[in-house]
Amino acid sequence: MRLQISTSKNSKSLYVIRSIYENGRHSSKVVEKLGTYDQLLKQLNGEDPIAWAKKYVDELNKQEKIDQRAVLVKYSPVKRITKDEQNVFNGGYLFLQKIYFSLGLHETCKQIVNKYKFTFNMDSILSRLVYSRILFPSSKLETLNLSKRFIEQPDFDLQHIYRALSIIAKESEFIQTELYKNSQRICKRNTNILYYDCTNYFFEIEQEAGLKQYGPSKEHRPNPIVQMGLFMDGDGIPLAFNINKGNTNEQVTLTPLEEKILKDFEISKFVVCTDAGLASTNNRKFNNNRNRAFITTQSIKKLKKPLREWALDEAGWRISGSSCRYNLNSLADSGDKSFKNQTFYKERWIKEDTLEQKLIVTYSLKYRDYQRQIHKNQIERAMKMIDDNPQRIHKCSQNDFKRLIAKKSITSDGEIADKNLYSIDADLIAKEEVFDGFYGVCTNLEDDASAIIKINHQRWKIEESFRIMKTEFKARPVYLSRDDRISAHFTTCFIALTLYRLLERQLNERFTNREIIQGLQNMNFYKVAGEGYIPAYTRNDFTDALHETFKFQTDYQIVNTHQMKNIFKATKS
């Protein structure tokens, strides 16, 4: 701070001013108006106002050095704010930025730029697409507008985003490979176990074209879809993905992506864990070799009759760590509450289509009760539809509650009925309840059954990843038409999911999805021109954990401009 004397025709005015650097320009800001020379001369009883003012400024500078964070800001209750001037900015992205740069994505962008020789800022575009996908998911046009909410402003136009999408699509496999390689700098990747699953994303259109094709929709929507196959490591961190046409049989998508992992990621020894929908014989045989193995869900209902009878037999059940054998009929009558949380199992080797594999069947009272509650809810919905809206009963999927409704179109005398008669299909319910509590797994591993069951149980993480992309990241519906831009869209979703999972891991999984995302969204700052940024969020356990983990602070009463520059540097180191 320094003294400035402004001279007019009739008076001299004394000000305390500060030099500031903002938006690439040097300027000054009035910190305090001391008064006119004549006014101060009267107030100071004859003391030289200029000499007094210089001493006063020196004292302010000394005080500021004693407490560098103390800032004097004056606001006027009669002065209006500047029109169209943005004052509130989001700083939650800074923690994502730290992970983004730790993953070397800025260097990956440099390599791509050097390859294609374009001039727009690829790093700025990709990073904003990723941060916005996590914090403010929206269309590409709106992403550009929302990027202006970040403290560091975007330096690109909408045309640059669409041009970048075409490049991202071409370099998607390169980005995935670099992302995996660089991720090992910040954490040890658990590639001993790989989880694979497929989902699909719909478009709000009716015309098929390119990747957009009609196929079995996971959400039962009558729209064209694209299919995503995703590999995840044993800790739930995304590894690789592919995008296929919506009408592709998901069973044929596993092997090509796995071959890419073997070749580009240089991972050769692992166990692939999938659900029953991906458990084709060819996929099992592909992973039945010296270095690879498989664990896959097995439908009890689809087993051959002798194996199904063995699986449902009440006798011969075990629990981990015990040599005892249990009979399922006696569990409910035993009164032992500890059985409620136990997983019982039996195992045997089988040979089908020349492939030897171990069949493990589990039974859980808790899982049984869960399935029975689902049945109960479905029966209630079916009864309500029969009573209130029978005209909506039509062909349904195997898990739809309407499957429990039986239709009768003739009278008891064998005559043609004037209308359809609907009732609950008690026989079907009884048949389905036989399987409540049972769960099957096939593997070529010789490991202990309890270890295999534990590995298979972690498949929920990949299902959660799909839910996060669809619900939190709003990856669908997709509002893009060109195949290359669709591929690029899911590449940015994949990167965003990777960043999010790494953030979750660095926070030791202490917070829920909603707590993390809303917490980052709410980390807003009020900008004080020339001074810095005042946090406009509530400090809580989540923000404390962020600052402790990432080793920089944004929760001071004001983060001055110099401190914020240092934070920018810290996130990009």
Side-chain angles (χ1 to χ4, degrees):
M1 289 180 285
R2 67 181 189 275
L3 176 66
Q4 183 181 68
I5 302 172
S6 176
T7 303
S8 64
K9 183 177 180 181
N10 298 317
S11 66
K12 288 193 294 187
S13 298
L14 281 67
Y15 299 89
V16 179
I17 66 169
R18 181 197 300 276
S19 297
I20 62 174
Y21 180 78
E22 195 171 52
N23 298 326
R25 298 174 59 189
H26 290 280
S27 60
S28 60
K29 175 189 175 185
V30 175
V31 176
E32 185 178 358
K33 181 178 180 181
L34 301 178
T36 66
Y37 184 91
D38 293 338
Q39 289 172 340
L40 291 171
L41 192 61
K42 291 178 182 179
Q43 295 172 10
L44 297 170
N45 298 321
E47 183 182 349
D48 180 13
I50 294 176
W52 171 85
K54 288 180 178 178
K55 290 179 183 178
Y56 178 71
V57 172
D58 287 341
E59 288 298 322
L60 289 178
N61 285 324
K62 287 178 183 178
Q63 185 62 36
E64 190 173 55
K65 287 180 180 179
I66 293 172
D67 185 0
Q68 293 183 351
R69 296 187 182 91
V71 175
L72 178 64
V73 181
K74 288 191 174 183
Y75 294 100
S76 171
V78 295
K79 185 178 180 181
R80 298 177 70 184
I81 60 175
T82 305
K83 188 176 182 180
D84 296 327
E85 181 178 80
Q86 183 179 352
N87 293 309
V88 178
F89 298 85
N90 176 270
Y93 80 96
L94 292 167
F95 302 94
L96 300 173
Q97 184 161 276
K98 178 65 175 177
I99 301 175
Y100 177 94
F101 275 80
S102 297
L103 290 169
L105 284 162
H106 61 301
E107 295 294 339
T108 302
C109 287
K110 282 183 182 178
Q111 293 181 60
I112 294 173
V113 170
N114 290 335
K115 180 178 179 180
Y116 291 91
K117 308 298 182 184
F118 48 77
T119 56
F120 56 83
N121 193 334
M122 180 73 171
D123 174 40
S124 182
I125 294 171
L126 179 62
S127 61
R128 269 57 189 173
L129 287 172
V130 171
Y131 306 156
S132 297
R133 182 55 52 189
I134 298 173
L135 299 179
F136 312 115
S138 57
S139 67
K140 300 301 177 279
L141 171 60
E142 192 61 19
T143 293
L144 174 61
N145 296 328
L146 291 172
S147 293
K148 296 173 184 176
R149 293 177 61 178
F150 299 142
I151 297 174
E152 296 171 281
Q153 295 292 286
D155 57 354
F156 51 85
D157 299 323
L158 183 62
Q159 59 163 319
H160 299 135
I161 292 180
Y162 287 114
R163 288 173 63 190
L165 290 177
S166 298
I167 304 298
I168 292 169
K170 290 178 183 178
E171 298 299 325
S172 179
E173 291 192 6
F174 172 69
I175 292 171
Q176 292 178 57
T177 304
E178 290 296 294
L179 193 60
Y180 165 71
K181 182 177 70 177
N182 294 336
S183 69
Q184 297 178 88
R185 300 176 188 169
I186 59 177
C187 69
K188 182 175 174 56
R189 299 296 296 266
N190 178 10
T191 55
N192 294 324
I193 309 292
L194 302 184
Y195 296 89
Y196 182 75
D197 205 352
C198 288
T199 192
N200 46 53
Y201 298 86
F202 67 89
F203 295 74
E204 290 193 335
I205 58 173
E206 295 184 2
Q207 185 64 43
E208 294 179 309
L211 291 171
K212 307 180 294 294
Q213 299 290 326
Y214 283 103
S217 171
K218 304 281 185 181
E219 294 150 331
H220 311 294
R221 288 178 175 269
N223 305 92
I225 57 176
V226 297
Q227 184 187 95
M228 170 187 268
L230 177 67
F231 262 110
M232 178 187 85
D233 72 14
D235 293 324
I237 302 173
L239 188 69
F241 82 100
N242 58 17
I243 294 294
N244 300 293
K245 292 182 178 180
N247 57 3
T248 305
N249 182 342
E250 62 182 23
Q251 290 188 352
V252 303
T253 64
L254 183 147
T255 301
L257 188 56
E258 191 175 334
E259 287 175 335
K260 185 179 82 171
I261 291 173
L262 290 166
K263 176 178 176 289
D264 296 342
F265 290 32
E266 298 179 354
I267 304 172
S268 58
K269 189 174 182 179
F270 51 81
V271 178
V272 175
C273 189
T274 70
D275 67 7
L278 290 153
S280 68
T281 300
N282 287 337
N283 285 342
R284 298 187 199 196
K285 287 181 176 179
F286 181 74
N287 286 302
N288 185 39
N289 66 29
R290 184 168 54 87
N291 291 324
R292 300 193 305 279
F294 65 84
I295 298 173
T296 186
T297 304
Q298 173 63 55
S299 170
I300 305 295
K301 295 178 184 178
K302 294 181 180 179
L303 287 172
K304 293 179 180 178
K305 185 177 180 181
L307 289 176
R308 188 169 64 248
E309 290 175 348
W310 167 82
L312 299 176
D313 190 349
E314 297 88 353
W317 293 86
R318 303 170 57 186
I319 58 175
S320 180
S322 172
S323 58
C324 298
R325 295 290 188 274
Y326 296 88
N327 189 297
L328 298 185
N329 285 335
S330 63
L331 297 182
D333 302 330
S334 68
D336 191 338
K337 294 182 179 179
S338 65
F339 287 153
K340 191 78 173 178
N341 296 315
Q342 289 285 1
T343 297
F344 298 84
Y345 71 90
K346 59 170 61 173
E347 58 183 325
R348 62 178 288 181
W349 284 91
I350 62 175
K351 187 172 184 178
E352 292 186 344
D353 296 324
T354 70
L355 179 64
E356 289 190 3
Q357 50 193 321
K358 185 195 296 185
L359 171 62
I360 302 171
V361 180
T362 66
Y363 180 81
S364 164
L365 291 170
K366 185 180 286 188
Y367 185 49
R368 179 204 65 183
D369 294 343
Y370 167 74
Q371 289 185 302
R372 287 185 177 176
Q373 184 60 46
I374 290 176
H375 277 138
K376 180 181 176 182
N377 294 340
Q378 289 183 332
I379 291 169
E380 290 174 354
R381 292 173 66 191
M383 292 176 66
K384 182 175 177 60
M385 178 165 280
I386 291 172
D387 294 337
D388 300 343
N389 208 358
Q391 64 270 21
R392 292 190 60 190
I393 299 172
H394 51 76
K395 186 178 179 181
C396 57
S397 65
Q398 62 179 355
N399 295 318
D400 194 326
F401 73 91
K402 293 192 288 292
R403 76 187 187 284
L404 304 177
I405 300 174
K407 182 176 77 170
K408 190 174 182 180
S409 300
I410 59 173
T411 66
S412 57
D413 298 328
E415 299 177 357
I416 298 175
D418 294 333
K419 62 180 181 179
N420 293 324
L421 302 177
Y422 297 100
S423 62
I424 297 298
D425 192 337
D427 291 338
L428 178 60
I429 293 170
K431 287 179 182 178
E432 290 190 358
E433 286 185 346
V434 169
F435 298 94
D436 287 350
F438 293 92
Y439 193 89
V441 172
C442 277
T443 182
N444 59 342
L445 290 170
E446 297 183 2
D447 299 46
D448 183 74
S450 59
I452 293 168
I453 293 167
K454 185 177 180 180
I455 292 171
N456 186 68
H457 178 69
Q458 295 302 308
R459 280 196 315 104
W460 67 270
K461 286 190 176 181
I462 197 165
E463 294 167 357
E464 184 191 51
S465 292
F466 286 142
R467 183 192 63 76
I468 289 171
M469 280 199 286
K470 290 182 177 182
T471 306
E472 309 297 346
F473 295 177
K474 294 181 172 58
R476 62 21 170 183
V478 184
Y479 296 106
L480 296 164
S481 57
R482 284 173 39 176
D483 283 356
D484 59 344
R485 292 175 178 175
I486 292 168
S487 176
H489 167 73
F490 287 109
T491 301
T492 60
C493 290
F494 172 81
I495 297 171
L497 181 64
T498 304
L499 260 69
Y500 173 79
R501 284 302 197 190
L502 288 170
L503 172 61
E504 201 176 46
R505 174 172 171 155
Q506 291 185 25
L507 293 172
N508 298 318
E509 300 185 354
R510 290 170 51 193
F511 305 96
T512 64
N513 305 143
R514 231 31 257 142
E515 286 173 330
I516 292 174
I517 294 173
Q518 285 186 347
L520 294 174
Q521 289 171 341
N522 293 336
M523 292 190 75
N524 292 323
F525 295 79
Y526 183 82
K527 182 180 180 181
V528 181
E531 299 292 352
Y533 299 84
I534 298 174
Y537 61 87
T538 302
R539 180 186 167 195
N540 52 32
D541 290 343
F542 172 69
T543 62
D544 282 354
L546 277 177
H547 294 126
E548 181 181 351
T549 300
F550 289 90
K551 309 303 180 188
F552 61 82
Q553 300 291 136
T554 68
D555 54 1
Y556 298 121
Q557 290 181 0
I558 184 168
V559 182
N560 66 41
T561 305
H562 179 70
Q563 288 174 309
M564 189 58 79
K565 286 181 181 178
N566 288 336
I567 290 174
F568 294 157
K569 290 179 183 178
T571 63
K572 298 174 183 177
S573 60

